[in-house]
Amino acid sequence: MRLTWYGHACFLVETGGSRLLIDPFFTGNGQAPVTADEVTADAILVTHGHADHLGDTVAIAKRCQALVVSNFEICNWVAAKGVARVHPQHVGGAFEHAWGRLKLTAAQHGSSLPDGSYGGNPCGLLLSAEGHTVYHAGDTGLFYDMKLIGDEGIDCAILPIGDNFTMGPEDALRAVQLLRPARVIPIHYNTFDVIRQDADAWAERVRETTSVEVTVLRPGDSLELA
Ligand code: NI
Ligand code: MN
């Protein structure tokens, strides 16, 4: 399984010949090293309705005939915009897709859509494929039930550290302690001025206080999960 970070919360997951895009925010994302027209996807996983996560979902899904997986409300919204293939799930529910098992997890955040429509509850993503389990927390504050998510055995946790809209560095460190992943990747920082953080300093703190591996990616970097 190969993870490529496109800045902010956006990842490409390549697994078993499938290409999964998570929170495909390219247009307006100053960190993205590629444009929405340059990426392809078999499936697009959307954590919540905010523009910096829903991003270019509709355009990419239409061009690639990609399956959109998200909560029920967001799936209905993109379907009304002309996306042909959607698979709604909801918090706590898992499904065995062709490319892996995906469970939507809770997140403490909002989820309104760009036009003000109701976007359901925000989600995190727990993806298991090819023997790897990846947790993308979406946008969230710290919550104690992360301990339950950690009980599932996480190989790689992807956590916001930006503060202001989500957990900041302090709470993200506590999240690592609750989740107990083998590895963690910090995201959702430096995209905007209000979420400016020193990810390398955060990584040092994680290394000092836990036995968790930390990978600080630069936008465009990939990580292969062995
Ligand atoms: Ni958000
Ligand atoms: Mn966000």
Side-chain angles (χ1 to χ4, degrees), residues 67-72 75 85-89 94-97:
L67 174 73
V68 174
V69 184
S70 189
N71 69 25
F72 180 76
C75 283
R85 300 174 58 223
V86 299
H87 182 113
Q89 294 184 215
F95 186 80
E96 293 280 351
H97 294 273

Side-chain angles (χ1 to χ4, degrees), residues 8 48 50 52-53 109 139 165-166 188 192:
H8 208 54
H48 65 290
H50 293 163
D52 57 320
H53 297 260
H109 194 66
D139 278 1
F165 297 116
T166 68
H188 211 277
F192 317 115

Side-chain angles (χ1 to χ4, degrees), residues 6 13 45 74 92 103 176 186:
Y6 290 134
V13 180
L45 318 183
I74 290 170
K103 184 194 268 190
V176 171

Side-chain angles (χ1 to χ4, degrees), residues 40-61:
T40 60
D42 300 299
I44 301 173
L45 318 183
V46 182
T47 62
H48 65 290
H50 293 163
D52 57 320
H53 297 260
L54 181 76
D56 299 289
T57 294
V58 170
I60 298 168

Side-chain angles (χ1 to χ4, degrees), residues 24 27 36-37 39 44 54-66 68 78 81 83:
T27 306
D37 297 334
V39 293
I44 301 173
L54 181 76
D56 299 289
T57 294
V58 170
I60 298 168
K62 284 183 181 175
R63 178 171 51 78
C64 299
Q65 294 300 304
V68 174
V78 301
K81 302 271 181 212
V83 171

